[in-house]
Amino acid sequence: DVKVTQSSRYLVKRTGEKVFLECVQDMDHENMFWYRQDPGLGLRLIYFSYDVKMKEKGDIPEGYSVSREKKERFSLILESASTNQTSMYLCASSQVAGPGGELFFGEGSRLTVL
Amino acid sequence: DQQVKQNSPSLSVQEGRISILNCDYTNSMFDYFLWYKKYPAEGPTFLISISSIKDKNEDGRFTVFLNKSAKHLSLHIVPSQPGDSAVYFCAASAQGNTGKLIFGQGTTLQVKP
């Protein structure tokens, strides 16, 4: 089974802190994604990556950056956390780009910014 | 602008009856559609998908219907079971869009025993 592991299930941070969310997948997938889930808004794409050291902006990249130094690991970075970044963050991976490329999600990281 | 819309935030059905979840999209370039199911405190899991060359795909109790002219798809669950209670997300992708999925807002389904 594909496993996508997010390092922290729950985090509480203060405004202005730097936050790292780590994600590791064990199926040698090429593609990795970071989404955030908010009530009434569904899942919105923050950043994605198709290869090591490659990244592309999603629909809501402002206030975030990412790092992919190894194929299996994709990190989401909040340089200076703000209260409007309180959310559920979901990492996903897939093998195939384009139609048919089913996403496999991690369990999510619930971030609260005070 | 929301390209994939699920206009019903919630749905409640009786066990054994049919659940119908709806999804509308605006981008005519979308050619692949998926449904994901999400339990609280878990990540979404893939449920069923359909390509734009088809109008129906069935997998056990789950059937997805696609009406391209109306830009509408629906998920039918028959018969509904209490374990189906979850949030259901509709998602879409476009050829050449490098695997990126656009999700709807989600519909919370409650199946009552």
Side-chain angles (χ1 to χ4, degrees):
Chain A
D1 281 351
V2 173
K3 190 160 180 65
V4 178
T5 303
Q6 294 182 229
S7 56
S8 303
R9 294 295 305 275
Y10 301 95
L11 303 94
V12 180
K13 298 292 182 181
R14 297 204 175 274
T15 301
E17 279 192 81
K18 190 169 186 176
V19 182
F20 291 88
L21 299 178
E22 304 284 342
C23 176
V24 177
Q25 51 96 1
D26 65 0
M27 285 302 291
D28 202 34
H29 282 175
E30 302 292 334
N31 314 311
M32 296 189 75
F33 306 81
W34 275 105
Y35 286 85
R36 63 177 280 180
Q37 181 197 355
D38 299 288
L41 297 176
L43 277 68
R44 293 180 293 166
L45 182 64
I46 304 171
Y47 266 98
F48 54 108
S49 168
Y50 297 111
D51 201 351
V52 175
K53 296 190 185 295
M54 295 186 69
K55 60 186 179 184
E56 289 198 33
K57 293 180 180 179
D59 299 316
I60 52 164
E62 296 79 18
Y64 303 95
S65 62
V66 290
S67 172
R68 193 163 181 205
E69 296 296 320
K70 294 184 178 182
K71 189 176 184 179
E72 68 271 18
R73 188 178 298 270
F74 192 36
S75 302
L76 180 69
I77 303 155
L78 288 68
E79 293 290 342
S80 178
S82 63
T83 55
N84 63 12
Q85 292 178 310
T86 292
S87 186
M88 169 69 83
Y89 290 88
L90 293 160
C91 175
S93 70
S94 73
Q95 181 59 29
V96 177
E102 173 194 336
L103 296 186
F104 295 87
F105 283 89
E107 292 185 319
S109 298
R110 170 75 63 184
L111 172 66
T112 301
V113 183
L114 302 175
Chain B
D1 185 31
Q2 193 85 22
Q3 296 185 69
V4 178
K5 298 179 183 179
Q6 294 175 255
N7 292 317
S8 297
S10 62
L11 175 68
S12 181
V13 300
Q14 207 66 35
E15 181 179 6
R17 307 295 290 269
I18 184 171
S19 295
I20 300 176
L21 295 92
N22 293 303
C23 179
D24 296 296
Y25 62 95
T26 57
N27 189 339
S28 58
M29 298 300 291
F30 288 149
D31 56 3
Y32 195 70
F33 304 89
L34 307 90
W35 285 93
Y36 280 78
K37 176 179 178 179
K38 185 180 185 299
Y39 293 116
E42 293 184 13
T45 55
F46 170 74
L47 190 57
I48 192 168
S49 62
I50 187 166
S51 165
S52 60
I53 63 174
K54 295 185 176 182
D55 54 18
K56 176 183 174 181
N57 188 27
E58 192 172 352
D59 183 3
R61 296 186 297 113
F62 303 91
T63 303
V64 57
F65 296 92
L66 175 63
N67 182 335
K68 287 192 295 292
S69 60
K71 294 190 176 69
H72 176 84
L73 64 155
S74 60
L75 174 69
H76 292 211
I77 306 173
V78 183
S80 302
Q81 299 174 354
D84 296 329
S85 297
V87 180
Y88 289 79
F89 291 100
C90 168
S93 70
Q95 182 71 35
N97 208 18
T98 55
K100 187 171 77 170
L101 291 186
I102 307 297
F103 285 83
Q105 305 98 309
T107 297
T108 300
L109 172 66
Q110 183 185 23
V111 180
K112 297 179 179 177

